[in-house]
Amino acid sequence: MVLFFSPYIAAGGVLLILLLMCVVIVPQGYEYTLERFGRYIRTLQPGIHFIMPIVERIGAKVSLMETVLDVPSQDVITKDNAAVTVDGVVFFKVVEASKSAYKVANLQQAMLNLTMTNIRTVMGSMDLDELLSNREAINARLLVIVNGAAGHWGTQVTRIEIKDIRPPRDLVDSMARQMKAERDKRAAILEAEGEKQAQILRSEGAKRSMVLQAEGRLESAAKDAEARERLAKAEAVATKLLSEATRDGDAKALNYFVAQKYVEAITVLAQAPNQKVLLMPLDVANLAGTVTGITEIVKQTFSKGSGKQAPEKSVF
């Protein structure tokens, strides 16, 4: 079977191919670079575009979406000569397609090497304790440094995160012992401070108690002195009255005074706790006379009040 091709059909096919080559559709999230005779002329935004086939062609198809790049683990020597293993992650996106396409050959590889070298630089200038406790500060410093260098490639670094910092096992054990010793030290200090405070409080309590006791004894002594003074004054008055009565020739008052002291002495002997039997070597007749004298004094007192004179009797 022989096939015959018309020149019109061939021309139509070529024209259709040229028309298809003139139409370029850029999807959302991408930008295409357009070259004319191999030279960059402009950037095609998302949408439909028409170009001149053969003369113009698409140079690079650049994604504008944010890219996540894992930073592999690497060993870092800190300022105090401690070896740690570090890994991380970088988030970046292209903001100028032409720079990312024509100013760097492999953007992801360049970003990876740039991040790894700056991680060693930043973390190598810090002590191990500072390295473990200031991860946010490390991330911020890395972001500033890497973003400044990547801007020349039309790329913006949005975030850099250190995922893990792994010191050697022996160093971890030493840090654990150091932390335990520090906690034991703080516990001992707190316990000593508590004991000190307790002793101070106990001393202040004892001091306050002694002061109160001394004040109580002082007040009691003052009251006792006042009572003794009043008693002495009362006895002085009684003695004065007795002296006056005796001077006037009235012996009954003296008998009353002697009888009162006599009875008080017997009362004290009777109330003694170690006395089971009370021996009273006294003259009953004299005791009766004393009581008679007391009775006479009472009668005389009442007789003076009523205006009658009671008959005198000797009490001796």
Side-chain angles (χ1 to χ4, degrees):
M1 182 178 180
V2 181
L3 297 178
F4 296 95
F5 293 96
S6 172
Y8 296 103
I9 297 176
V14 172
L15 182 60
L16 180 61
I17 293 173
L18 290 176
L19 289 175
L20 292 176
M21 293 176 63
C22 290
V23 179
V24 177
I25 298 176
V26 180
Q28 184 66 37
Y30 285 84
E31 286 184 355
Y32 292 175
T33 60
L34 183 63
E35 299 176 355
R36 180 178 297 169
F37 297 113
R39 181 181 179 182
Y40 167 78
I41 55 174
R42 63 189 177 95
T43 300
L44 303 181
Q45 303 295 326
I48 186 169
H49 301 271
F50 297 95
I51 64 174
M52 293 183 294
I54 302 175
V55 177
E56 298 176 345
R57 69 181 183 88
I58 300 300
K61 300 178 180 180
V62 181
S63 173
L64 301 181
M65 294 178 287
E66 190 167 3
T67 304
V68 181
L69 183 63
D70 286 327
V71 180
S73 299
Q74 60 176 333
D75 294 331
V76 176
I77 305 298
T78 62
K79 186 178 180 180
D80 51 354
N81 296 325
V84 295
T85 303
V86 182
D87 58 3
V89 61
V90 183
F91 300 85
F92 68 95
K93 63 181 179 179
V94 175
V95 293
E96 293 185 41
S98 59
K99 290 184 178 181
S100 66
Y102 298 109
K103 290 192 175 183
V104 60
N106 189 336
L107 179 61
Q108 290 195 2
Q109 187 65 28
M111 289 295 300
L112 180 61
N113 290 328
L114 179 64
T115 304
M116 292 180 68
T117 55
N118 281 280
I119 285 177
R120 288 195 296 269
T121 301
V122 172
M123 299 182 72
S125 62
M126 304 172 68
D127 294 332
L128 180 60
D129 293 338
E130 186 181 4
L131 195 70
L132 297 175
S133 59
N134 294 328
R135 188 170 299 189
E136 293 184 359
I138 296 173
N139 295 337
R141 289 180 60 184
L142 287 173
L143 179 61
V144 172
I145 296 173
V146 176
N147 187 47
H152 181 69
W153 302 330
T155 304
Q156 179 184 1
V157 181
T158 56
R159 293 186 68 181
I160 296 181
E161 296 289 340
I162 299 298
K163 293 196 298 184
D164 194 13
I165 301 175
R166 296 184 298 274
R169 186 61 191 176
D170 56 346
L171 187 57
V172 173
D173 295 339
S174 299
M175 292 172 60
R177 291 193 299 270
Q178 180 183 0
M179 182 176 61
K180 184 177 181 301
E182 186 67 24
R183 289 182 177 177
D184 293 340
K185 176 183 176 182
R186 288 199 298 266
I189 292 174
L190 291 177
E191 184 177 358
E193 289 289 338
E195 183 64 25
K196 175 183 176 182
Q197 190 67 23
Q199 290 180 357
I200 291 174
L201 292 177
R202 285 195 294 268
S203 300
E204 290 181 352
K207 176 183 176 182
R208 183 59 181 170
S209 176
M210 294 175 63
V211 169
L212 292 176
Q213 290 178 4
E215 290 178 352
R217 289 194 299 270
L218 179 61
E219 185 176 358
S220 177
K223 295 293 184 181
D224 291 341
E226 184 179 357
R228 288 194 298 271
E229 181 181 359
R230 290 183 179 181
L231 181 60
K233 288 181 179 179
E235 294 212 352
V237 172
T239 305
K240 180 179 179 182
L241 294 176
L242 180 60
S243 299
E244 292 177 355
T246 304
R247 187 183 62 235
D248 295 337
D250 189 359
K252 295 178 181 180
L254 182 59
N255 292 336
Y256 172 73
F257 184 76
V258 173
Q260 183 182 8
K261 296 299 182 180
Y262 194 75
V263 172
E264 289 177 357
I266 295 175
T267 303
V268 172
L269 290 175
Q271 292 178 350
N274 57 351
Q275 292 294 336
K276 301 300 181 181
V277 179
L278 181 61
L279 299 178
M280 299 177 61
L282 50 83
D283 189 355
V284 178
N286 291 336
L287 179 60
T290 302
V291 174
T292 303
I294 295 173
T295 304
E296 291 296 330
I297 293 173
V298 173
K299 287 181 179 181
Q300 184 177 358
T301 303
F302 281 101
S303 297
K304 288 181 180 180
S306 59
K308 296 180 180 180
Q309 182 71 25
E312 294 185 0
K313 292 184 180 180
S314 177
V315 296
F316 293 102

